[in-house]
Every structure is written in C-alpha cells, then in structure tokens.
Amino acid sequence: MGASKKDFFTDEQNEYAILFRALAHPARVAIVEYLMGVGSCICGDIVSELPLAQPTVSQHLKELKNAGLIRGNIDGNSICYCLEENSFEKLQSYISAISVKLQNKKQICC
Amino acid sequence: MGASKKDFFTDEQNEYAILFRALAHPARVAIVEYLMGVGSCICGDIVSELPLAQPTVSQHLKELKNAGLIRGNIDGNSICYCLEENSFEKLQSYISAISVKLQNKKQICC
DNA sequence: TTTTAATATTGCAATAATACGATAAACTTT
DNA sequence: AAAGTTTATCGTATTATTGCAATATTAAAA
C-alpha cells in the first residue's frame, strides 16, 4: 500500500502532475520568481537569495530541471540557470482552458 | 532536519505552492478534468471513474477542497462537488504573467 | 425505527519529499 | 601542480504523502 498508482492514469495527467509538483514548494516558487526577475543567474546567486543551504538549493534546482521548468548551461565552472519558456506556456494553456471553460459555463454547483 | 522552512518564504509564495501542490498528483488532475467535463457531480461518480478506493478519493477531494480548488455542497445524503472558478483564475493570471514576460524578453540563457 | 446509501474519518503500512553536513567532481586561477 | 571556486552527489534523519480496510457519521428510504 501507499505505492503510487500513476500507471492507471493517462500520460498527460501524469505529465501535468509532474509540472505542478515541481512548483509545489515555496522554495521552488521563489526560485522561479527570482529567475523571472533577473532573467538568468548562477546557482550561487540563488543560494545567497534563499534561506537554504547550498545542497538543498541544488536539489530544488534539479527537480525544476527534471520537470523541464528550467534549463542550465555550463559557463566556466559555474552553471547558468533560466526559465524554460515552453513549459510555462504549456501550463498556461492548460490552466487557461479550465479557467475559460468555467467562465463560459457560469455553472451553479448543485 | 527535513522540517519544512515555509516560514522563511512569503505568504504569496506559500499560497501558490499550496495551489500547485493540490494539482501535484495524477488522481487530482483527473478529478479536476472530470469535474470540468461534467460541471458537477457527487463523490460516488468520481469513485466509479477512478481506479481508487472510496476513502482514497475522499482524501484527494479533501485536499483539493482545502486548497480551495473545489467546492462541496451538501445535497441530501450526498455531496455535490464542482470547481472553484476564482482559484483557477488566480492560477491562470500567475502563470500567464510568467509566460508573457518570457515571451517579451526572449532572453538567452547565458 | 430499521435499513440502506453516501461520505468522512481513523489507523496503519509503505513510499516519497525535505533538509543539510560531508564529500566529490570539475573548472579557474595562481 | 596546488589552491580556490562552484556545483553536484551521497548518506541520513525527519516529515509528509499515498493508499486502503475498517469504522463512524449523516441523511434518505422503507
């Protein structure tokens, strides 16, 4: 018991769950907001910005990267991170479709 | 260690993390999509639709409700659930702002 | 009132996520 | 080459999430 039943859901449902899960922590929300403000930066900048140790930040960056929300380019001995536009557009159209449908329907709940 | 450090982040960052967390499971994505399709339904309908036991579905519904993404109205001895428009609009404008900013900047990552 | 129906809650086992010290890996600078 | 800089990985403790059987709760129906 307790094992994930993700195999019983569609690939699309799992993909969106992975994207949302990547944003399901205030530290990762903060990283995204910071990257949105500065455009791009190295890991050390984020470590200075957040109240978290370097390995913890590194792990959060890894999760954002695995989910496809950020990209990291090697730049000398540091790594430059930035937001991945396509993934945010994908999320945007998904949420937007729900939002628009709800506005059009103006449904009453029971 | 391992304790959450949410107190070190802003209220807004925590609020969005809670919303995203509610969608961070394929079962809850499936519930939202189902509710979007049918408008509103009772818990039993979702139990029939998903490959999960009744207590598990009830728990997922509770999480979506706590996050403010769905609403439940008592209807006799059953409970009628539907999507909460405001929360999806809030998510929509948040993601949309990021997406638009990325499109405008056309930034190159390092 | 007894039975049936629909959900929620409890308790527990299994798994996943969070955080960070210690350390490794890789590149720069001296 | 040696030392310094930057980031990733490992190991581990703690906490949170997931899933469901059993049970409780609440309201309708008989």
Side-chain angles (χ1 to χ4, degrees):
Chain A
M1 295 89 193
S4 177
K5 285 206 155 189
K6 63 186 176 192
D7 292 347
F8 293 93
F9 298 96
T10 70
D11 287 350
E12 215 197 19
Q13 285 164 346
N14 277 296
E15 280 166 27
Y16 284 113
I18 286 169
L19 286 174
F20 288 126
R21 156 101 48 202
L23 294 171
H25 192 287
R28 296 195 290 273
V29 169
I31 290 172
V32 167
E33 290 179 354
Y34 181 71
L35 280 172
M36 185 175 63
V38 298
S40 66
C41 71
I42 63 173
C43 174
D45 295 335
I46 299 171
V47 173
S48 310
E49 196 69 14
L50 298 189
L52 296 172
Q54 179 270 320
T56 308
V57 170
S58 191
Q59 189 178 297
H60 282 306
L61 287 169
K62 189 181 176 185
E63 280 166 52
L64 285 167
K65 194 158 156 248
N66 285 343
L69 285 173
I70 65 173
R71 192 167 62 236
N73 288 110
I74 296 171
D75 175 32
N77 67 341
S78 59
I79 295 177
C80 180
Y81 287 101
C82 65
L83 299 177
E84 189 75 72
E85 193 176 324
N86 289 347
S87 297
F88 284 94
E89 277 174 10
K90 194 177 168 187
L91 274 182
Q92 195 269 327
S93 44
Y94 184 74
I95 296 288
S96 189
I98 297 176
S99 198
V100 166
K101 184 145 190 177
L102 291 177
Q103 285 172 342
N104 288 346
K105 271 199 170 176
K106 281 293 172 206
Q107 61 197 325
I108 304 104
C109 186
C110 304
Chain B
M1 296 92 193
S4 177
K5 287 206 155 188
K6 64 185 175 194
D7 291 346
F8 293 93
F9 298 97
T10 70
D11 288 349
E12 215 195 19
Q13 285 163 345
N14 278 296
E15 281 166 26
Y16 284 113
I18 286 168
L19 286 174
F20 288 126
R21 162 143 293 165
L23 294 171
H25 192 287
R28 295 194 291 271
V29 170
I31 290 172
V32 166
E33 289 179 354
Y34 181 71
L35 279 173
M36 185 175 60
V38 298
S40 66
C41 71
I42 64 173
C43 174
D45 295 336
I46 299 171
V47 173
S48 310
E49 196 69 13
L50 299 189
L52 296 171
Q54 179 268 321
T56 308
V57 170
S58 191
Q59 188 178 297
H60 282 307
L61 287 170
K62 190 180 177 185
E63 281 168 50
L64 286 167
K65 196 159 156 248
N66 285 344
L69 285 173
I70 65 172
R71 192 169 58 238
N73 287 110
I74 296 172
D75 176 31
N77 66 341
S78 59
I79 294 177
C80 180
Y81 286 101
C82 65
L83 299 177
E84 188 75 70
E85 193 177 324
N86 288 347
S87 297
F88 284 94
E89 278 174 9
K90 193 177 169 185
L91 274 182
Q92 195 270 326
S93 44
Y94 185 74
I95 296 288
S96 189
I98 297 175
S99 197
V100 166
K101 183 146 190 174
L102 290 177
Q103 284 172 342
N104 288 346
K105 272 198 170 176
K106 280 295 172 206
Q107 60 198 327
I108 305 104
C109 187
C110 305

